[in-house]
């Protein structure tokens, strides 16, 4: 909840109550003269005379709101913002009217104007998040809520809504995984369906739909896996056993098995094979888990000799370079990723590299300044 804007001390009834200690309004819909006096004497909010005409228009808008005349109320709030666009409550009240009318695009626009008027007015973030949720922009909604919580971390409305929206996101992701798994099953991609259902199960363990689908897929997958493993060479078996060790978090054991796989491939003259790429990549992941950055760099470099545009290897190597304070090399790998097509990189990797680039640029500039 929020303290009213310093210029918004009108005694006109306000249908959008904002409560925040130490000055909660005496009535849930009305800021009284004593409430306004308390705010005026609060050193955190220096006194500023409100525009009387704008406040009168706001009061008229409030009356229209109370009687359900939302379009008329919007007109009054718009007039008030044309006089003083820097009072966030005018925009917030306008957004509330648009919410009543179900016009969530206009609500979002009003809420953004509210935030622009006063970035400390937390109600603006809540209004925008409500609009984004109704527009099914769940990712944007979470970002807005996080911005609001950065202003007021204890706000219960923002915290509650963030939890609700994240639950919706989780449900949508599970449903997407289930649809994808069903499509894979219909297309005969049993391993793909099994792995997709495993991902869904991690998000929603015990989900009856997932368990029902898994009961159909798992027996077929296990039979296929048994046939596949029976045909593996000794070198391939080392890699398979390394994967199993990695999954059980035995990273040192996995490293030994990947090393045996890689040595066998060298003896067979298959250093540039797909299996070699996977073994080096997986061993790099193990080295990263135990913070052996030199090992990560060496294995990622081996991967990049086979596949120069391997995004995973470039990002891992950049992180390892940063870990050993070789910032310019890290920055070079990050820039290589950011120069690739967005579809190849993906949103999460792009965001990660963008963040790393800003951090590494600052570090490099600081080092230059230090001579």
């Amino acid at each position: 909840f929020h303290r009213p804007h310093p210029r918004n001390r009108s005694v006109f009834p306000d249908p959008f109550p904002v409560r925040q200690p130490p000055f909660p309004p005496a009535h849930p819909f009305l800021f009284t003269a004593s409430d306004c006096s308390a705010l005026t004497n609060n050193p955190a909010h220096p006194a500023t005379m409100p525009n009387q005409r704008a406040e009168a228009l706001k009061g008229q808008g409030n009356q229209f709101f109370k009687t359900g005349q939302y379009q008329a109320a919007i007109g009054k709030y718009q007039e008030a913002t044309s006089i003083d666009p820097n009072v966030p409550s005018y925009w917030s009240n306008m957004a509330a009217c648009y919410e009543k009318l179900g016009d969530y695009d206009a609500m979002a626009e009003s809420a953004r104007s509210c935030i622009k008027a006063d970035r400390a007015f937390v109600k603006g973030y809540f209004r925008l998040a409500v609009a984004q949720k109704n527009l099914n922009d769940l990712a944007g909604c979470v970002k807005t809520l996080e911005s609001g919580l950065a202003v007021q971390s204890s706000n219960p409305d923002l915290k509650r809504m963030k939890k609700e929206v994240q639950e919706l996101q989780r449900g949508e992701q599970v449903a997407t995984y289930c649809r994808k798994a069903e499509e894979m099953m219909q297309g005969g991609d049993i391993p793909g369906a099994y792995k997709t259902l495993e991902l869904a199960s991690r998000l929603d363990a015990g989900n009856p739909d997932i368990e029902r689908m898994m009961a159909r897929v798992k027996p077929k997958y296990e039979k296929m896996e048994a046939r596949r493993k029976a045909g593996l060479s000794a070198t391939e078996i080392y890699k398979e056993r390394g994967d199993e060790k990695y999954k059980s978090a035995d990273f040192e054991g996995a490293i030994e098995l990947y090393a045996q796989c890689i040595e066998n491939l060298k003896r067979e003259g298959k250093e540039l094979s797909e299996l070699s790429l996977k073994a080096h990549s997986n061993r790099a992941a193990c080295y990263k888990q135990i913070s052996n950055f030199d090992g990560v760099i060496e294995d990622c470099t081996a991967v990049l000799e086979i596949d120069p545009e391997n995004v995973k290897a470039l990002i891992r190597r950049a992180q390892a370079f940063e870990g050993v304070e070789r910032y310019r090399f890290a920055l070079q790998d990050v820039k290589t990723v950011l120069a690739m097509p967005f579809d190849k990189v993906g949103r999460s990797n792009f965001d990660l590299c963008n963040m790393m680039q800003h951090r590494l640029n600052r570090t490099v500039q600081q080092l230059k300044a230090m001579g």
Side-chain angles (χ1 to χ4, degrees), residues 236-305:
E236 290 170 324
I237 288 172
Y238 281 129
K239 189 261 181 187
E240 287 288 318
R241 289 172 57 199
D243 292 348
E244 292 168 6
K245 292 282 187 182
Y246 181 88
K247 289 176 183 177
S248 62
D250 181 2
F251 304 117
E252 288 83 359
I255 287 169
E256 290 178 9
L257 290 163
Y258 291 135
Q260 289 176 301
C261 175
I262 291 166
E263 285 302 313
N264 280 9
L265 289 169
K266 286 179 180 178
R267 285 195 294 270
E268 295 166 9
K270 299 177 180 178
E271 299 96 327
L272 302 181
S273 65
E274 181 69 16
L275 181 59
S276 180
L277 184 151
K278 290 178 180 178
H280 279 292
S281 181
N282 292 3
R283 189 170 68 173
C286 293
Y287 281 137
K288 182 181 176 183
Q289 290 290 339
I290 62 175
S291 299
N292 182 341
F293 298 124
D294 290 327
V296 174
I297 292 167
E298 182 179 348
D299 273 334
C300 287
T301 300
V303 170
L304 292 166
E305 287 175 0

Side-chain angles (χ1 to χ4, degrees), residues 1-12 14 16-32 34-40 42 44-48 55 58 86-90 92-93 118 120-123 152:
F1 297 101
H2 314 285
R3 184 180 295 113
H5 190 275
R7 285 176 290 184
N8 183 15
R9 303 196 191 89
S10 170
V11 295
F12 289 99
D14 190 336
F16 314 96
V18 179
R19 294 175 292 148
Q20 175 176 322
F23 310 115
H27 185 278
F29 296 110
L30 178 65
F31 281 93
T32 65
S34 60
D35 295 324
C36 295
S37 175
L39 286 168
T40 304
N42 182 1
H45 290 264
T48 305
E55 286 292 294
K58 176 196 168 188
N86 297 315
V87 179
S89 62
Y90 302 162
S92 178
N93 292 5
D118 185 353
F121 190 81
V122 183
K123 195 71 168 181
Q152 190 181 85

Side-chain angles (χ1 to χ4, degrees), residues 168-326:
L168 286 173
Q169 285 182 306
R170 186 176 68 87
E172 284 193 355
Q173 184 63 67
V174 168
T176 299
Y177 281 142
C178 288
R179 286 194 298 270
K180 185 177 179 182
E182 185 65 43
E183 290 172 4
M184 288 176 166
M185 288 167 60
Q186 296 297 328
D189 183 4
I190 301 301
Y194 179 80
K195 291 174 183 177
T196 301
L197 287 172
E198 277 194 323
L199 292 173
S201 185
R202 289 174 197 169
L203 289 175
D204 194 4
N207 183 300
D209 292 330
I210 298 172
E211 290 181 345
R212 201 161 36 245
M213 294 177 73
M214 187 63 87
R216 293 161 53 201
V217 173
K218 191 174 180 178
K220 297 178 181 178
Y221 174 74
E222 289 177 341
K223 287 181 181 178
M224 291 178 70
E225 276 293 283
R227 288 196 298 269
R228 184 183 68 81
K229 288 180 179 180
L232 293 176
S233 67
T235 303
E236 290 170 324
I237 288 172
Y238 281 129
K239 189 261 181 187
E240 287 288 318
R241 289 172 57 199
D243 292 348
E244 292 168 6
K245 292 282 187 182
Y246 181 88
K247 289 176 183 177
S248 62
D250 181 2
F251 304 117
E252 288 83 359
I255 287 169
E256 290 178 9
L257 290 163
Y258 291 135
Q260 289 176 301
C261 175
I262 291 166
E263 285 302 313
N264 280 9
L265 289 169
K266 286 179 180 178
R267 285 195 294 270
E268 295 166 9
K270 299 177 180 178
E271 299 96 327
L272 302 181
S273 65
E274 181 69 16
L275 181 59
S276 180
L277 184 151
K278 290 178 180 178
H280 279 292
S281 181
N282 292 3
R283 189 170 68 173
C286 293
Y287 281 137
K288 182 181 176 183
Q289 290 290 339
I290 62 175
S291 299
N292 182 341
F293 298 124
D294 290 327
V296 174
I297 292 167
E298 182 179 348
D299 273 334
C300 287
T301 300
V303 170
L304 292 166
E305 287 175 0
I306 302 170
D307 178 8
E309 293 190 344
N310 190 294
V311 174
K312 189 181 292 184
L314 284 164
I315 292 174
R316 279 185 185 150
R317 191 171 72 172
Q319 291 170 327
F321 276 138
E322 186 176 15
V324 295
E325 299 182 2
R326 296 168 69 182

Side-chain angles (χ1 to χ4, degrees), residues 116-161:
K116 183 179 178 181
D118 185 353
R119 294 192 177 278
F121 190 81
V122 183
K123 195 71 168 181
Y125 298 97
F126 184 78
R127 299 281 193 216
L128 179 55
V130 169
Q132 290 170 319
K133 180 182 176 183
N134 282 279
L135 291 168
N136 204 35
D137 180 12
L138 300 184
C141 180
V142 170
K143 287 184 178 180
T144 298
L145 291 166
E146 288 174 345
S147 297
L149 288 167
V151 175
Q152 190 181 85
S153 60
S154 62
N155 187 283
D157 291 332
L158 298 181
K159 290 168 73 174
R160 183 181 65 253
M161 188 175 182

Side-chain angles (χ1 to χ4, degrees), residues 46-64:
T48 305
M49 289 299 294
N51 184 291
Q52 293 301 315
R53 184 160 169 255
E55 286 292 294
L57 288 164
K58 176 196 168 188
Q60 292 169 29
N62 291 350
Q63 292 301 321
F64 280 129

